[in-house]
Amino acid sequence: MENYEELLIEILKKIAQESQTTDLSIPVGISNRHCHLSREDVESLFGKGYELTKLKDLSQPGQYACKETIMICGPEGMIENVRILGPERKQTQVEVLQSDCFKLGIKAPLRLSGDLDHSGDVTMIGPKGSKMLVSGVVVAKRHIHMPLKDAKRFDVVDGENVSIAFDGARGGVLNEVIVRVDSNAGLECHIDVEEANALGVSSNTNIVIQKN
Amino acid sequence: MENYEELLIEILKKIAQESQTTDLSIPVGISNRHCHLSREDVESLFGKGYELTKLKDLSQPGQYACKETIMICGPEGMIENVRILGPERKQTQVEVLQSDCFKLGIKAPLRLSGDLDHSGDVTMIGPKGSKMLVSGVVVAKRHIHMPLKDAKRFDVVDGENVSIAFDGARGGVLNEVIVRVDSNAGLECHIDVEEANALGVSSNTNIVIQKN
């Protein structure tokens, strides 16, 4: 009887492995507006020596939401409670929704994270000070974080431009999704709140890649 | 010489007609949150005998934006400056964005205009009073207003479910777009602000139908 049990366990393991290999769906992460701050800007906004407080881990390894938020202001409006994501980065970056640009009265280009040349400007306000961020505001270009093993499985390469398909009452296809292969990444497709709402996507939706 | 001029004018007219016939693009109208009020609700919110003031005509014949706005409130938040669209309707209807539902703390189904059974609730607040709207809040289902002659040209019928394609840096395809044929309609595809931002669409974008 014990042998049957062992055999059964082996069979179930095999089935699990197999379904993992053939599962070509990708979990979706929905980003709201947020910012990444440099050490210098943490100190400008929160005071000298201030350390950000981790609120909760995000799905990407090492990334977390902080307890702290800031206000961002443009010539035509302000937005409160913009979440800071940790850890600190070399360069401060504010990621907004397209509708935020209208609210703030600013222009921000559609970019991948870190590509900040000639991007938008905004004034950041914290409890201990404010700072004008010149060229640091972008609307996030949709992308898929992918570890190398998954890139092989999906037959895509770093930087590849793919489409992603959604079912449902607001189903459709989003083109211009950039694959970002990184051995430290967790498999996840990042779209923003407006993209998610337009396609009727919730955080437990899985998407499927369509190669172009 | 005069004959040549006349001939040239005739040729140019023919070319213009021809290009109009073969042009299968459709102008896009982008809707923000708004409401349509009944006479009774105009009086509840603005006072007995109050008449709404036309601010500007909309692209659909007979429809206009009013000078007046209201505030809408749910259990978790409120939204100011919700534009009233005229003329008055038999039944009050509030059309919100998906993100507004989170802000307000309400649920509103995805529906075509006028389909209000078991839809969302919200409290409407005007300068002279407030009123709880029970079953009158929806998220607008994307649709294409189409006069009969265009329906023939596009080879679609009233109620048909089509897809619409967008080019550009946020290009893609939106499925589940309902054709609404009406002899009084102007040809126009209506999507909301979140859908427009997600697909990088501005109000002078033209879209192309993909039949399913």
Side-chain angles (χ1 to χ4, degrees):
Chain A
M1 191 64 183
E2 215 170 282
N3 282 345
Y4 282 113
E5 270 188 47
E6 278 174 23
L7 189 61
L8 195 60
I9 288 165
E10 282 307 307
I11 290 168
L12 288 174
K13 271 188 193 165
K14 275 282 180 206
I15 290 171
Q17 276 173 11
E18 191 63 26
S19 69
Q20 202 173 21
T21 315
T22 55
D23 179 10
L24 289 176
S25 67
I26 297 177
V28 172
I30 302 169
S31 308
N32 205 342
R33 64 183 73 90
H34 64 269
C35 66
H36 307 273
L37 297 183
S38 66
R39 173 91 297 253
E40 185 191 336
D41 287 345
V42 168
E43 298 202 337
S44 297
L45 303 176
F46 292 89
K48 199 163 164 54
Y50 190 87
E51 294 293 336
L52 295 168
T53 321
K54 185 193 284 193
L55 181 68
K56 63 169 184 179
D57 284 314
L58 300 177
S59 53
Q60 289 305 307
Q63 303 292 304
Y64 51 89
C66 298
K67 186 175 69 67
E68 294 83 358
T69 62
I70 61 169
M71 193 197 300
I72 56 174
C73 300
E76 288 177 24
M78 60 91 178
I79 298 174
E80 295 175 297
N81 304 319
V82 177
R83 183 69 53 194
I84 302 172
L85 303 190
E88 289 166 6
R89 290 195 180 181
K90 278 193 182 156
Q91 208 176 353
T92 291
Q93 172 174 317
V94 175
E95 297 179 42
V96 294
L97 306 176
Q98 187 60 56
S99 59
D100 294 343
C101 296
F102 302 119
K103 242 178 259 171
L104 297 166
I106 65 165
K107 285 189 179 179
L110 188 69
R111 296 278 180 82
L112 288 175
S113 187
D115 179 11
L116 299 177
D117 278 1
H118 304 288
S119 60
D121 311 331
V122 87
T123 298
M124 306 180 290
I125 299 184
K128 291 289 172 64
S130 72
K131 183 160 179 185
M132 172 86 180
L133 174 65
V134 178
S135 196
V137 187
V138 297
V139 176
K141 192 168 170 62
R142 43 206 183 219
H143 56 277
I144 304 173
H145 291 289
M146 205 179 270
L148 197 56
K149 67 172 170 45
D150 287 311
K152 284 179 184 159
R153 192 158 66 87
F154 286 103
D155 189 25
V156 293
V157 297
D158 186 45
E160 188 163 337
N161 181 342
V162 298
S163 297
I164 52 178
F166 303 86
D167 288 332
R170 273 190 153 180
V173 175
L174 295 178
N175 301 333
E176 308 292 334
V177 186
I178 306 300
V179 175
R180 306 196 78 174
V181 178
D182 179 346
S183 51
N184 297 321
L187 179 65
E188 193 171 44
C189 176
H190 282 186
I191 59 177
D192 73 19
V193 170
E194 292 189 296
E195 292 169 325
N197 286 343
L199 277 299
V201 177
S202 66
S203 55
N204 51 17
T205 303
N206 276 17
I207 54 103
V208 177
I209 283 186
Q210 292 182 336
K211 289 198 65 157
N212 291 323
Chain B
M1 191 61 181
E2 217 170 283
N3 282 345
Y4 281 114
E5 269 188 49
E6 277 175 24
L7 188 63
L8 195 60
I9 288 166
E10 282 306 309
I11 290 169
L12 288 173
K13 272 188 191 165
K14 274 282 180 205
I15 291 171
Q17 276 172 10
E18 192 63 27
S19 70
Q20 203 173 19
T21 314
T22 55
D23 180 10
L24 289 177
S25 68
I26 297 178
V28 173
I30 302 170
S31 308
N32 205 342
R33 63 183 74 91
H34 64 270
C35 65
H36 307 274
L37 297 183
S38 65
R39 173 93 297 253
E40 185 192 335
D41 287 345
V42 168
E43 297 202 337
S44 297
L45 303 176
F46 291 90
K48 199 162 165 53
Y50 190 87
E51 294 293 336
L52 295 168
T53 321
K54 186 193 281 192
L55 181 68
K56 63 170 183 179
D57 283 315
L58 300 178
S59 53
Q60 290 306 305
Q63 302 292 304
Y64 52 89
C66 299
K67 187 175 68 68
E68 294 83 357
T69 62
I70 60 170
M71 194 197 301
I72 55 175
C73 299
E76 287 177 23
M78 60 91 178
I79 298 174
E80 294 174 297
N81 304 320
V82 177
R83 182 70 54 193
I84 301 171
L85 302 190
E88 291 166 5
R89 290 196 181 180
K90 277 194 181 152
Q91 208 177 354
T92 291
Q93 171 173 317
V94 175
E95 297 179 42
V96 294
L97 307 176
Q98 187 59 56
S99 59
D100 294 344
C101 296
F102 301 118
K103 243 178 257 170
L104 297 166
I106 65 165
K107 286 189 177 179
L110 188 69
R111 295 277 180 82
L112 288 175
S113 187
D115 180 10
L116 299 177
D117 278 1
H118 304 289
S119 60
D121 310 332
V122 86
T123 298
M124 306 180 290
I125 299 182
K128 291 287 172 64
S130 72
K131 183 159 179 187
M132 173 85 181
L133 174 66
V134 177
S135 195
V137 187
V138 298
V139 175
K141 191 166 170 64
R142 43 207 184 218
H143 57 277
I144 304 175
H145 290 291
M146 204 178 271
L148 197 57
K149 67 172 170 42
D150 287 312
K152 284 179 184 158
R153 193 158 65 87
F154 286 103
D155 188 25
V156 293
V157 297
D158 186 45
E160 189 163 337
N161 181 341
V162 299
S163 296
I164 52 177
F166 304 86
D167 288 332
R170 274 190 153 181
V173 175
L174 295 178
N175 302 332
E176 307 293 334
V177 186
I178 306 301
V179 175
R180 306 195 79 174
V181 178
D182 179 346
S183 51
N184 297 320
L187 179 65
E188 192 170 45
C189 177
H190 282 187
I191 60 176
D192 73 18
V193 170
E194 292 188 297
E195 291 169 325
N197 287 343
L199 277 299
V201 177
S202 67
S203 55
N204 50 17
T205 303
N206 276 18
I207 55 103
V208 177
I209 284 187
Q210 293 181 337
K211 290 197 64 158
N212 291 322

